[in-house]
């Protein structure tokens, strides 16, 4: 369901937030059905060409049923006879398959994607699972529903440390943001972080890329501009309290004093901090100014936040 809402400066549309794991799970039934259809087609093709194989397979199924009855009936002698019959049919079957170069798995359900076995996740070089390339459309849909729809061209692959000068510092900030997103190092102790840097230093680009990376690693993540947070629907605001990673961009003291923004921020940050979930506030203003000028409730939280440098 798409909702439209109006904020002071722009019109945006958001869809209900979706997680990548949820989207992949939702597509699983479809993938299973597709693999069943492929198996049925393959059996129809092979049996059409080799009716003797179909005949043997039918006999094997019947023998197995009869054998089951013999076992329940404690007639071991009869069960053994069925075993011998099945063995003989199986070897005839294998002969037909090998003589005619038939795929020995023609009657089995196979994965549509050989890379991930239809699980949607593959292990990266470092051993951590990430979303398989076959789930690109699910990734796009997830980005769209997590505030990242307007940034299709922003990718970590294209992020350049040296693009806006001071490559070393930018690289360090990027690594720290990744650590926080993954809940590693200091981030394990401190859930709330401030990334403040001068305007036009690529903060939004990096923030978007980190949020996308989180999602591609199977995490639930959301990106929003601070001024838009109060306009999100209640369901999404509730989601923001529980997702793995949240980035609030264009964070500024005066925005927190506007309308319901301070109260929404306060309740979201309250729950997230208590649950140890990583949140990054991105701002063009220095932390000291933010603490001084923000909504009182938010200000209190900022004074305990970590600083990304
Ligand atoms: Zn795959």
């Amino acid at each position: 369901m798409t909702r439209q809402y109006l904020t002071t400066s722009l019109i945006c549309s958001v869809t209900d937030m979706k997680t990548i794991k949820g989207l992949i799970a939702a597509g699983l039934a479809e993938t299973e059905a597709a693999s069943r259809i492929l198996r049925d087609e393959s059996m129809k093709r092979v049996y059409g060409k080799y009716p003797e194989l179909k005949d043997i397979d039918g006999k094997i199924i019947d023998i197995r049923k009869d054998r089951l009855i013999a076992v329940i009936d404690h007639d071991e002698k009869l069960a053994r006879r069925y075993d011998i019959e099945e063995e003989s049919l199986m070897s005839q079957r294998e002969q037909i398959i090998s003589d005619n170069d038939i795929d020995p798995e023609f009657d089995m359900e196979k994965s549509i994607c050989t890379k991930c076995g239809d699980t949607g996740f593959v292990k990266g070089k470092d051993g951590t699972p990430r979303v398989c390339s076959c789930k690109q459309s699910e990734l796009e849909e997830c980005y769209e529903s997590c505030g990242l729809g307007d940034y299709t061209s922003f990718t970590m692959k294209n992020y350049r440390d040296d693009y806006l000068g001071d490559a070393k510092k930018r690289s360090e900030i990027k690594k720290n943001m990744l650590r926080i997103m993954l809940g590693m190092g200091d981030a394990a102790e401190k859930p709330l972080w401030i990334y403040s840097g001068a305007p036009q230093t690529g903060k939004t680009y990096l923030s978007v890329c980190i949020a996308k990376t989180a999602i591609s690693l199977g995490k639930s993540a959301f990106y929003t501009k601070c001024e838009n947070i109060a306009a999100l629907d209640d369901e999404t605001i509730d989601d923001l309290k529980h997702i793995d990673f949240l980035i609030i961009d264009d964070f500024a003291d005066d925005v927190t004093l506007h309308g319901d923004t301070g109260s929404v921020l306060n309740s979201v940050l309250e729950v997230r901090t208590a649950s140890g979930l990583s949140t990054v506030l991105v701002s063009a203003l220095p932390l000291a100014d933010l603490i001084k000028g923000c909504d009182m409730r938010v200000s209190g939280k900022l004074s305990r936040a970590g600083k990304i440098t």
Side-chain angles (χ1 to χ4, degrees):
M1 190 170 59
T2 304
R3 290 189 181 88
Q4 299 277 337
Y5 63 86
L6 187 70
T7 68
T8 45
S9 61
L10 75 168
I11 299 169
C12 355
S13 76
V14 287
T15 48
D16 294 331
M17 191 201 152
K18 292 175 182 127
T19 64
I20 189 64
K21 282 187 178 160
L23 283 166
I24 288 174
L28 208 60
E30 223 171 280
T31 314
E32 279 170 4
S35 105
R36 214 167 304 133
I37 288 167
L38 286 180
R39 181 205 58 185
D40 292 350
E41 278 173 359
S42 145
M43 285 175 74
K44 211 173 140 190
R45 199 173 49 242
V46 172
Y47 283 158
K49 209 167 165 192
Y50 308 100
E52 64 276 30
L53 189 60
K54 186 183 180 184
D55 186 46
I56 288 175
D57 282 354
K59 281 183 186 157
I60 291 172
I61 290 167
D62 287 343
I63 280 179
R64 284 179 182 167
K65 283 180 196 156
D66 289 339
R67 186 186 180 279
L68 179 66
I69 291 166
V71 168
I72 292 167
D73 207 21
H74 298 292
D75 191 341
E76 280 169 31
K77 221 167 126 188
L78 187 59
R80 179 74 198 124
R81 219 175 74 204
Y82 286 137
D83 282 343
I84 293 164
E85 263 182 66
E86 185 178 331
E87 268 170 44
S88 144
L89 285 167
M90 284 302 277
S91 66
Q92 289 176 50
R93 182 182 201 271
E94 277 157 29
Q95 198 59 53
I96 296 172
I97 287 173
S98 79
D99 286 352
N100 297 288
D101 245 349
I102 300 166
D103 174 6
E105 295 186 343
F106 78 96
D107 58 345
M108 290 179 196
E109 276 180 39
K110 290 178 207 158
S111 307
I112 307 283
C113 175
T114 50
K115 274 186 273 182
C116 69
D118 298 342
T119 60
F121 288 91
V122 285
K123 268 198 179 143
K125 279 181 205 142
D126 55 356
T128 49
R130 57 203 64 206
V131 175
C132 180
S133 55
C134 72
K135 299 294 175 193
Q136 195 55 39
S137 69
E138 281 83 351
L139 264 184
E140 300 298 337
E141 189 182 348
C142 187
Y143 292 159
E144 179 80 32
S145 80
C146 295
L148 298 157
D150 294 337
Y151 307 97
T152 44
S153 65
F154 289 26
T155 62
M156 195 56 114
K157 221 165 86 187
N158 293 336
Y159 179 83
R160 299 257 311 273
D161 290 331
D162 60 355
Y163 183 57
L164 290 157
D166 206 347
K168 205 170 155 226
K169 192 178 171 203
R170 278 167 62 81
S171 161
E172 203 48 48
I173 288 173
K174 180 180 72 189
K175 281 184 203 146
N176 284 331
M177 290 271 266
L178 285 168
R179 278 188 203 108
I180 290 162
M181 180 269 285
L182 293 165
M184 285 161 54
D186 290 347
E189 316 284 324
K190 215 175 258 191
L192 183 60
W193 291 82
I194 314 279
Y195 166 26
S196 83
Q200 307 296 318
T201 50
K203 296 189 300 300
T204 293
Y205 198 106
L206 178 59
S207 302
V208 165
C209 290
I210 299 280
K212 284 187 174 179
T213 303
I215 291 169
S216 73
L217 292 174
K219 290 178 177 290
S220 49
F222 199 91
Y223 169 91
T224 178
K225 301 271 187 196
C226 188
E227 62 180 13
N228 295 338
I229 198 165
L232 296 170
D233 60 86
D234 292 346
E235 211 180 309
T236 306
I237 289 173
D238 200 52
D239 286 338
L240 297 194
K241 293 176 184 169
H242 308 290
I243 55 170
D244 299 321
F245 184 61
L246 172 64
I247 287 201
I248 302 172
D249 198 2
D250 289 349
F251 185 81
D253 49 356
D254 55 346
V255 183
T256 68
L257 302 170
H258 185 81
D260 289 335
T261 306
S263 128
V264 170
L265 270 173
N266 180 53
S267 71
V268 168
L269 296 180
E270 185 84 41
V271 177
R272 293 188 61 77
T273 308
S275 319
L277 297 166
S278 297
T279 308
V280 175
L281 307 176
V282 183
S283 180
L285 302 165
L287 181 56
D289 290 6
L290 293 171
I291 294 174
K292 216 185 297 165
C294 270
D295 174 284
M296 289 266 285
R297 296 160 293 182
V298 178
S299 207
K301 292 180 171 62
L302 294 187
S303 54
R304 292 187 296 276
K307 221 173 138 184
I308 299 174
T309 47

